[in-house]
Amino acid sequence: MESSVSALIHAAIAEDVGTGDVTSLYFIPEQSRSRAEIVAREPGIVSGSDIATAVFHQIDPALEVEVCIPNGSPFKPGDILLKAAGGTRSLLTAERTALNFLQRLCGVATQTQKYVEAVKPHPVQVWDTRKTTPGWRLIEKAAVKHGGGTNHRMGLYDHAMVKDNHLAANSDLTSLQAAIHKLRAERPGVRVQLEAATLQQVADFLTLDGVDMLLLDNMSTDQQREAVKLVNGKLWLEASGGITLDTIKDVAATGVNAISVGALTHSARALDLALDLY
């Protein structure tokens, strides 16, 4: 597990437990042993079972944890996603933090799966964005993959995306070309993408060397179709901007290669899961 994810889990536990779970410490006998099941109250796609497991083990390494349905798999109401057994105090202390992670990540995976299903049968990828919960990016993007989506750039460091505000500061084509050449020479593994809000920008950017893809920002489906014709397979095209479950199929039909949807992460609803103790 990535060290940043382990640190996130540690911070979440510290936030909740603080100086100790006073309810369990005072109302549950120290010798009490129990088993627990995390049960689905609604259907969805699993993500975060590894994170929930890590929560239980950070609380108490002696807890026995069994993942019943693996990440990326569907579940229905009544299904048991995960089982745990051991000290009752530990199980109850871990309950909320484990559920917070699991409910949220299952929500992201389930939301993503809906968008992926909506674009069928068009051969287009559904991409996530950087609109993630601060500190949660790695695990939310993993949840997108569990839902059948595709990860876009992880951060500012692994993919150059020249957006509208960059272009507002420097839109001269000669300067853009020089910057692309410099980036290619110094960081050859980094992809280069330019954001186009108009068809004229698409045409202009096609004159540049070293560009991997264009982002069609808030274009109508008619404009997207024209952009696909203009590019004619020379570059990858990503459509973005206000895309919903109601509109994504029409966008997919334009012929773009990918559709990015911020709602996969920023608007996913936590699913209804519960921990039942026995």
Side-chain angles (χ1 to χ4, degrees):
M1 182 173 290
E2 294 276 354
S3 60
S4 60
V5 176
S6 294
L8 174 64
I9 295 168
H10 181 80
I13 291 171
E15 172 183 71
D16 197 35
V17 178
T19 58
D21 176 2
V22 293
T23 311
S24 295
L25 285 171
Y26 284 89
F27 291 88
I28 301 298
E30 183 178 3
Q31 68 275 15
S32 176
R33 294 291 181 268
S34 299
R35 56 191 178 90
E37 297 175 344
I38 293 182
V39 182
R41 303 290 194 240
E42 62 178 311
I45 303 295
V46 178
S47 184
S49 59
D50 52 333
I51 309 300
T53 298
V55 170
F56 282 109
H57 284 157
Q58 277 205 29
I59 292 290
D60 183 350
L63 289 175
E64 298 177 4
V65 182
E66 176 189 355
V67 173
C68 301
I69 304 178
N71 288 332
S73 301
F75 59 84
K76 61 185 184 299
D79 281 351
I80 299 170
L81 277 59
L82 181 147
K83 296 180 180 179
T88 308
R89 286 181 176 179
S90 297
L91 292 171
L92 292 172
T93 299
E95 174 183 1
R96 176 43 51 199
T97 301
L99 283 173
N100 282 348
F101 279 113
L102 196 58
Q103 288 178 285
R104 167 71 180 159
L105 296 173
C106 286
V108 172
T110 303
Q111 175 101 313
T112 301
Q113 196 261 351
K114 291 177 182 177
Y115 278 86
V116 170
E117 287 297 315
V119 301
K120 292 181 178 178
H122 302 289
V124 61
Q125 294 182 359
V126 176
W127 286 359
D128 55 24
T129 69
R130 287 167 49 238
K131 297 175 183 177
T132 53
T133 307
W136 284 56
R137 183 165 298 172
L138 284 177
I139 60 177
E140 286 183 345
K141 281 182 171 280
V144 166
K145 293 181 71 173
H146 294 149
T150 301
N151 293 156
H152 203 329
R153 59 177 176 167
M154 189 59 66
L156 296 173
Y157 55 89
D158 63 340
H159 180 119
M161 183 184 290
V162 186
K163 295 173 68 66
D164 54 352
N165 284 333
H166 300 97
L167 294 170
N170 179 18
S171 61
D172 177 71
L173 290 176
T174 301
S175 296
L176 287 174
Q177 185 65 82
I180 292 168
H181 284 158
K182 181 177 174 62
L183 175 62
R184 287 295 191 193
E186 295 180 1
R187 300 196 181 191
V190 173
R191 292 174 296 176
V192 176
Q193 182 173 13
L194 305 179
E195 178 179 285
T198 67
L199 291 173
Q200 183 58 57
Q201 282 183 309
V202 172
D204 290 343
F205 293 157
L206 283 172
T207 67
L208 301 173
D209 293 326
V211 178
D212 296 297
M213 60 185 75
L214 300 181
L215 184 152
L216 308 180
D217 183 50
N218 284 297
M219 287 190 181
S220 68
T221 52
D222 287 340
Q223 289 174 310
Q224 290 163 354
R225 288 189 192 91
E226 287 302 313
V228 170
K229 291 178 184 177
L230 272 174
V231 172
N232 194 28
K234 298 183 182 72
L235 303 172
W236 261 59
L237 289 178
E238 169 195 350
S240 184
I243 293 164
T244 68
L245 274 172
D246 293 330
T247 62
I248 193 169
K249 195 174 190 70
D250 291 337
V251 176
T254 65
V256 296
N257 305 101
I259 303 171
S260 59
V261 183
L264 301 186
T265 50
H266 72 57
S267 296
R269 177 179 61 82
L271 292 198
D272 187 2
L273 309 176
L275 184 144
D276 294 334
L277 195 75
Y278 302 95

